[in-house]
């Protein structure tokens, strides 16, 4: 059996399937713009044994783009394997020689406009002295890099950048107190990125409360579950940090709870049972 990732993988799997007779599964990670999807692509997507996506909203988009039957689209959260990690580390405090009581607010991954890093950086103007923002990842455009250096010069003790790749990824998430998960909804894929955010589950796994911007899925995944707070105003981030910090254990406990419910291996087992996967393999 082939697993076809996204549109390009789907096209390749369909060609191979035609030659070999081997069946395929469509695993959608990115949502393509509808003008890139041909009628033929819709047909080969419909011919897949099943389709996997990450959230209910992304499922609805796939139904529309590929004309798929909703009962053949299964939701598998973009989570990670368990168990939860309940031990905190001080990697960033030690790396930047910060007092151990300084709270780390972590923004991780691709550092660009798509992840609203410019707005996150600008929010530190009102950050209390016992917090600091750490950007861990890579700048993909000059403008964001320049904004970082401007604020680094103005607030040298409030913002730091790290791009070292660690073999132990968990150490990164264990070494922060708050996680930032934000996306700029300039495309269908970015608009529904909260429901497919891998780093969100990495934070939850380590019991790290979240702050997110108000895009689809943010409130029901983060705020309604008690895992963090959602805002449509990035200037509010410092106030939201204080609000979470005033009841930190409550948010931390809920993060562990939500990760346990959405743990990748558990959710995959449910899909296997629900879709009669064993019969498919036969």
């Amino acid at each position: 059996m082939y697993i076809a990732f996204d549109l390009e993988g789907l096209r390749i799997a369909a060609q191979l399937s035609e030659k070999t007779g081997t069946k395929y599964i469509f695993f959608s990670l990115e949502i393509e713009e509808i003008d890139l999807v041909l009628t033929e692509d819709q047909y080969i997507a419909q011919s897949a044994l099943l389709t996997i996506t990450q959230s209910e909203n992304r499922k609805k988009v796939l139904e529309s783009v590929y004309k798929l039957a909703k009962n053949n689209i299964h939701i598998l959260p973009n989570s990670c394997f368990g168990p939860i990690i309940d031990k905190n580390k001080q990697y960033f405090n030690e790396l930047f020689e910060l007092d151990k009581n300084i709270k780390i607010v972590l923004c991780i991954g691709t550092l660009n406009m798509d992840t609203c890093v410019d707005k996150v950086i600008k929010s530190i103007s009102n950050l209390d002295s016992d917090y600091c923002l750490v950007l861990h990842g890579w700048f993909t455009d000059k403008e964001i890099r320049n904004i970082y250096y401007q604020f680094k010069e103005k607030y040298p003790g409030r913002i730091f950048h790290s791009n070292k790749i660690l073999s132990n990824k968990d150490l990164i998430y264990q070494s922060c107190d708050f996680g930032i998960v934000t996306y700029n909804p300039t495309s269908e894929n970015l608009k529904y990125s909260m429901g497919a955010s891998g780093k969100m589950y990495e934070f939850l796994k380590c019991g790290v409360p979240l702050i997110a911007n108000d895009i689809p899925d943010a409130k029901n995944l983060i705020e309604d579950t008690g895992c963090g707070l959602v805002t449509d105003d990035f200037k509010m981030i410092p106030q939201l940090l204080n609000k979470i910090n005033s009841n930190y254990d409550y948010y931390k406990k809920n993060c562990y709870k939500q990760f346990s419910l959405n743990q990748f291996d558990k959710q995959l087992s449910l899909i296997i049972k629900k879709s009669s996967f064993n019969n498919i393999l036969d």
Side-chain angles (χ1 to χ4, degrees), residues 44-55:
I44 61 178
Q46 293 161 14
S47 300
L49 291 170
L50 57 88
T51 296
I52 295 175
T53 189
Q54 297 80 38
S55 71

Side-chain angles (χ1 to χ4, degrees), residues 28-257:
S28 173
L29 297 173
E30 304 289 331
I31 296 175
E32 289 82 8
E33 296 300 319
I34 193 166
D35 58 340
L36 297 177
V37 179
L38 308 175
T39 302
E40 182 182 351
D41 297 325
Q42 294 175 339
Y43 171 75
I44 61 178
Q46 293 161 14
S47 300
L49 291 170
L50 57 88
T51 296
I52 295 175
T53 189
Q54 297 80 38
S55 71
E56 192 64 42
N57 275 320
R58 293 175 82 86
K59 175 179 177 178
K60 291 176 182 177
V61 175
L62 287 178
E63 285 179 43
S64 174
V65 171
Y66 289 98
K67 312 300 182 188
L68 296 172
K70 62 182 179 181
N71 62 353
N72 203 39
I73 306 176
H74 300 268
I75 296 173
L76 178 62
N78 191 21
S79 188
C80 42
F81 288 93
I84 63 170
I85 297 175
D86 59 1
K87 188 174 183 181
N88 297 331
K89 301 285 187 179
Q90 291 270 309
Y91 172 73
F92 289 118
N93 295 73
E94 294 169 1
L95 178 66
F96 299 118
E97 299 180 346
L98 301 170
D99 185 277
K100 66 179 182 179
N101 294 315
I102 294 291
K103 299 175 182 65
I104 304 297
V105 183
L106 181 62
C107 185
I108 186 170
T110 308
L111 307 174
N112 60 16
M113 299 290 187
D114 287 346
T115 51
C116 306
V117 174
D118 53 324
K119 297 175 183 177
V120 174
I121 292 173
K122 292 173 183 178
S123 75
I124 70 167
S125 301
N126 299 313
L127 204 61
D128 289 350
S129 59
D130 49 350
Y131 299 91
C132 78
L133 174 65
V134 172
L135 308 177
H136 182 79
W138 50 96
F139 296 111
T140 60
D141 60 70
K142 196 172 183 179
E143 184 176 355
I144 294 291
R145 187 183 291 107
N146 288 341
I147 292 172
Y148 165 73
Y149 284 124
Q150 289 169 16
F151 277 77
K152 180 65 177 173
E153 183 177 1
K154 191 172 182 180
Y155 306 103
R158 287 191 207 171
I159 185 168
F160 299 87
H161 175 236
S162 166
N163 59 9
K164 185 177 180 180
I165 299 174
L166 301 181
S167 57
N168 179 11
K169 181 176 64 173
D170 291 335
L171 178 60
I172 298 295
Y173 293 93
Q174 287 177 269
S175 300
C176 65
D177 301 280
F178 305 88
I180 301 289
V181 184
T182 51
Y183 298 97
N184 188 10
T186 54
S187 67
E188 288 289 276
N189 189 53
L190 287 168
K191 180 180 178 180
Y192 298 109
S193 284
M194 197 65 69
S197 177
K199 61 186 172 185
M200 178 183 70
Y201 289 104
E202 297 281 3
F203 281 124
L204 297 181
K205 178 180 179 178
C206 294
V208 177
L210 302 170
I211 289 178
N213 61 323
D214 193 6
I215 61 174
D217 290 318
K219 284 189 175 177
N220 65 293
L221 288 174
I222 295 172
E223 196 162 271
D224 293 349
T225 58
C227 294
L229 297 173
V230 174
T231 183
D232 57 3
D233 184 358
F234 284 79
K235 294 177 183 178
M236 291 292 295
I237 288 178
Q239 293 181 43
L240 297 183
L241 289 171
N242 286 332
K243 185 174 180 179
I244 293 174
N245 195 54
S246 67
N247 197 9
Y248 193 84
D249 288 343
Y250 164 81
Y251 289 99
K252 187 179 186 73
K253 177 183 69 176
N254 287 325
C255 289
Y256 286 139
K257 178 181 177 181

